[in-house]
Amino acid sequence: MRRRQLPLLAAPLCLPAVQSRAQGAWPTRPVRIVVSFPPGGSSDITARVMAEHYSAAMNQRFVVDNRPGAGGTLSALHVAQQPADGYTLFLSNSAPITTSPPLYPQAGYDPIRSFTHVTYIGAAPVAIVTNPRFIPATDLPSLVAWMKAQPSPASFGSSGTGSVGHILGEMFQRAAGVQLTHVPYRGSAPLLPDLLNGQVPLAFDTMPQYVEHFAANRLRGIAISAPQRNPMAPNVPTTTEGGYPTLIALNWVGISGPAGLPPAVVEKLNAETQAGLRTEIVQRRLLEHAISPTPLGPVEFTAFAQRDVNEIGGMIRALGITAG
């Protein structure tokens, strides 16, 4: 919209100072952190832990906005389309950045160029979980044997098409030479009750929400897709111990925003994120959900995301994994 000539001529003289003050003062109003999954899962919990830290550290409200669907691509596209002013952030993770774009080629965003990747937070392992009332297997070899003995493919649940659990399930089928039927959920929270009551007897999903059920023998942790065992569930072996060393998949999380976030916002947000990850309370709460804090700044995080997109995206295409 055109303005009158006199204010327009005057505006450029003061614009840099106004921008500088606005960036330096960020945030002056509430900030949203968009999450790709419903409340209750590890991504949502991570966002809430960080939101509490930011709110206290920056004396401003940070609120979590859950926008699940289509493997995280709906939330990612929403963030990519927002103004790059620091008031819409993204709890970025493996699904919308790495695994979903090859499955949803029309998603409408680029996982690197459409975002400012500010700080990598850490990663959680994916667990292979069974309901022992329906699957008697106690380890990976016996699970594979059980699957091969079934007259029809068993079903496995994941937190959604394009989630790391979904991709690990597809990788597992090819590595073990079995066939399964994927049942995608809109996050880990709605998957858990169906696993407990036997609607699906098997899940490939991030581990934290299942640990208490392992201890109570309601569910069984067959293996975790990590290089080493996790202290949250030290009795659950790794996929390598089970004979499948290539089945390594971690669900990483980070803080991102729309492309073009002002440098002052990036600097402050990265500094506050890394400061939070050094505090005992944030570390403890993340470790309680199997996320090991491993902060990386903007340059390192962007490089990591690019490598993950290239490697995992290439593998998904090579294996012919689809959203169907």
Side-chain angles (χ1 to χ4, degrees), residues 124-233:
V126 176
I128 303 173
V129 184
T130 62
N131 185 321
R133 292 188 295 127
F134 300 92
I135 298 180
T138 57
D139 56 19
L140 272 179
S142 60
L143 178 62
V144 172
W146 177 87
M147 290 173 174
K148 289 182 175 179
Q150 301 311 299
S152 58
S155 298
F156 80 92
S158 79
S159 60
T161 299
S163 67
V164 178
H166 170 213
I167 301 305
L168 184 67
E170 298 291 344
M171 292 167 60
F172 174 80
Q173 293 179 69
R174 288 155 177 79
V178 298
Q179 186 175 357
L180 301 173
T181 299
H182 179 221
V183 182
Y185 285 78
R186 289 173 66 87
S188 300
L191 166 58
L192 177 59
D194 276 8
L195 185 60
L196 287 168
N197 66 32
Q199 279 300 111
V200 288
L202 169 71
F204 290 76
D205 197 16
T206 47
M207 186 180 69
Q209 56 269 22
Y210 300 103
V211 171
E212 65 177 283
H213 301 288
F214 296 162
N217 296 316
R218 291 186 290 266
L219 297 174
R220 178 175 287 136
I222 298 292
I224 61 168
S225 61
Q228 59 274 325
R229 295 194 184 197
N230 191 282
M232 282 189 69

Side-chain angles (χ1 to χ4, degrees), residues 96-112:
I97 300 301
T98 304
T99 59
S100 288
L103 304 181
Y104 298 91
Q106 306 304 317
Y109 65 90
D110 182 279
I112 304 301

Side-chain angles (χ1 to χ4, degrees), residues 22-23 25-34 60-63 82-90 257-258 261-262 265:
Q23 292 175 14
W26 179 88
T28 59
R29 54 186 171 87
V31 178
R32 287 188 305 142
I33 304 177
V34 176
Q60 186 55 259
R61 288 182 62 222
F62 282 72
V63 296
Q82 301 308 299
D85 56 10
Y87 291 96
T88 299
L89 302 177
F90 191 31
L261 280 184
V265 172

Side-chain angles (χ1 to χ4, degrees), residues 230-294:
N230 191 282
M232 282 189 69
N235 295 325
V236 179
T238 67
T239 48
T240 298
E241 292 176 80
Y244 294 89
T246 62
L247 294 181
I248 303 296
L250 298 173
N251 184 50
W252 58 262
V253 289
I255 295 292
S256 303
L261 280 184
V265 172
V266 173
E267 181 179 358
K268 185 172 184 179
L269 183 58
N270 176 51
E272 291 294 356
T273 305
Q274 300 219 24
L277 296 176
R278 290 192 295 269
T279 66
E280 187 276 334
I281 186 169
V282 171
Q283 288 185 6
R284 175 172 52 79
R285 292 181 66 187
L286 292 181
L287 287 170
E288 285 172 354
H289 293 88
I291 296 173
S292 301
T294 314

